[in-house]
Amino acid sequence: MKIERLFLVMVMVIGILCCISLFTSCDGNGGGGDDDDDGASDDDGSGDDDTDDDDDSELDLWGGVSISEGYYSSNYQALHYYCGAGAAFYDPDDWNNGGYGEPDDEEGDCKLYHYSGNTQTYETLSAGIVTLTGANVSPIHLNPVAYQYGYYYQADVDFLNVNNLFDENDTFNAHVAGGNGIGPLDISVDALPMISITKPSDFDLLKSLPHSSMTFKWNKGGAEKVFLSLSTYTTTKTSMTGVIIMCEAPDEQGEIDVSGDLMEHLQNNPTTISVMMSKENYKESVGDRPISFTAMTYRQRSYVNVK
């Protein structure tokens, strides 16, 4: 799976964080997920997703479900536990890296994107009620709610009152009732340990990001992939611009090196910086309109400069 799938998960996680007052490689695991046109998940052929170098069925996904827990801190908030579950469904023909388009540069495990306030709007779909079981809080119902761009999903659980959503040995099950040609279907994914960042040692105290190379290390084991995002945003009364670096690596790799060639693109005096690392397990459903199910643990640090 390519790194672009992370945009979907981040959209759901950030939506969860916003709702509670606060943003993988698909290597064939989980079955299905073959491209509809040619039946091969590693094809690089012409005629499969209209992309010659897609390497997988990612562009065929019709959305996904996520469950997550982790810790967030900022210069306005001490380190605090957050958790949640979310879902989003859409026509993959309308989806393009969550509106960020193709990367402007890439090096090693990482890709660089620029944001200029013009991300595309796409219509989200309803796939009916999504029911999650297997967590310490169970069941969790995700209900589709109509709004101007289609449907967003609202959980029937107050996650602010949950202090331990799941444990490492849990297995989550998602039942999607079905709608818009998606489902009904069932899909499962295994829980994973909480991510622990061992470098930089001051991760939870970061106030800035350098314009030189930077190394991030974590506790290996229990997950398929680790993702890293670094971003700087500058906001005015009329606009917002940003630079985003997105990285992915196998969990067993244990570290990600972000090159100075990418880091030097980060803004010099941003309004906000944010760094997020996550461990993820991922499965993909079978069928003509497959969806993903992602379990994630994360650590996020933000710093806001009031100008």
Side-chain angles (χ1 to χ4, degrees), residues 209-212 214 230 245 258-266:
L209 292 171
H211 287 82
S212 56
M214 194 171 184
L230 305 98
I245 298 173
V258 188
S259 74
D261 290 341
L262 297 185
M263 295 289 291
E264 67 182 8
H265 288 271
L266 296 175

Side-chain angles (χ1 to χ4, degrees), residues 2 40 89 94 99 115 127 158-159 173 178 220 251 262 267 271 284 291:
K2 299 178 186 176
F89 303 99
D94 297 334
Y115 173 84
D158 181 1
F159 291 110
N173 301 286
K220 295 187 290 186
D251 180 39
L262 297 185
Q267 296 169 335
T271 306
E284 190 174 308
I291 67 165

Side-chain angles (χ1 to χ4, degrees), residues 16-283:
I16 292 166
L17 293 178
C18 289
C19 288
I20 59 178
S21 304
L22 270 175
F23 194 20
T24 316
S25 174
C26 173
D27 52 9
N29 291 335
D34 291 341
D35 292 348
D36 293 341
D37 291 350
D38 58 13
S41 59
D42 293 305
D43 41 48
D44 282 350
S46 55
D48 63 303
D49 313 320
D50 298 322
T51 303
D52 291 341
D53 60 351
D54 69 340
D55 284 323
D56 55 38
S57 62
E58 180 177 10
L59 296 181
D60 289 333
L61 289 176
W62 284 70
V65 180
S66 73
I67 185 167
S68 63
E69 66 176 4
Y71 289 88
Y72 171 88
S73 70
S74 73
N75 50 319
Y76 292 101
Q77 179 177 340
L79 192 65
H80 191 79
Y81 173 87
Y82 285 97
C83 62
F89 303 99
Y90 51 84
D91 186 330
D93 289 339
D94 297 334
W95 179 262
N96 181 23
N97 295 357
Y100 286 90
E102 294 301 315
D104 298 306
D105 196 5
E106 59 183 289
E107 190 168 334
D109 299 317
C110 304
K111 297 183 179 182
L112 175 74
Y113 300 85
H114 286 82
Y115 173 84
S116 58
N118 59 350
T119 58
Q120 72 181 56
T121 299
Y122 60 95
E123 182 180 1
T124 53
L125 307 175
S126 170
I129 297 173
V130 178
T131 303
L132 303 180
T133 56
N136 295 332
V137 178
S138 187
I140 300 168
H141 298 101
L142 303 175
N143 300 293
V145 180
Y147 79 125
Q148 62 178 327
Y149 298 118
Y151 294 86
Y152 69 89
Y153 271 78
Q154 180 70 49
D156 64 351
V157 172
D158 181 1
F159 291 110
L160 283 176
N161 292 323
V162 179
N163 57 22
N164 180 26
L165 182 58
F166 59 80
D167 300 308
E168 180 178 353
N169 296 321
D170 293 339
T171 296
F172 309 120
N173 301 286
H175 174 72
V176 179
N180 288 119
I182 304 169
L185 58 86
D186 293 276
I187 185 171
S188 299
V189 69
D190 292 333
L192 64 176
M194 185 65 70
I195 190 168
S196 175
I197 299 169
T198 57
K199 187 176 182 179
S201 58
D202 62 345
F203 181 90
D204 297 316
L205 299 174
L206 287 174
K207 297 181 179 180
S208 62
L209 292 171
H211 287 82
S212 56
S213 62
M214 194 171 184
T215 299
F216 293 82
K217 296 184 178 181
W218 62 86
N219 56 321
K220 295 187 290 186
E224 298 169 6
K225 287 285 183 176
V226 166
F227 289 92
L228 166 67
S229 69
L230 305 98
S231 63
T232 54
Y233 283 93
T234 297
T235 304
T236 69
K237 291 182 179 180
T238 59
S239 67
M240 182 171 73
T241 60
V243 177
I244 307 99
I245 298 173
M246 308 287 292
C247 312
E248 70 166 282
D251 180 39
E252 63 269 20
Q253 181 170 304
E255 66 179 67
I256 291 175
D257 296 313
V258 188
S259 74
D261 290 341
L262 297 185
M263 295 289 291
E264 67 182 8
H265 288 271
L266 296 175
Q267 296 169 335
N268 289 316
N269 189 27
T271 306
T272 305
I273 70 164
S274 184
V275 185
M276 180 175 174
M277 292 190 71
S278 63
K279 280 179 175 278
E280 296 187 16
N281 283 336
Y282 167 87
K283 297 296 179 183

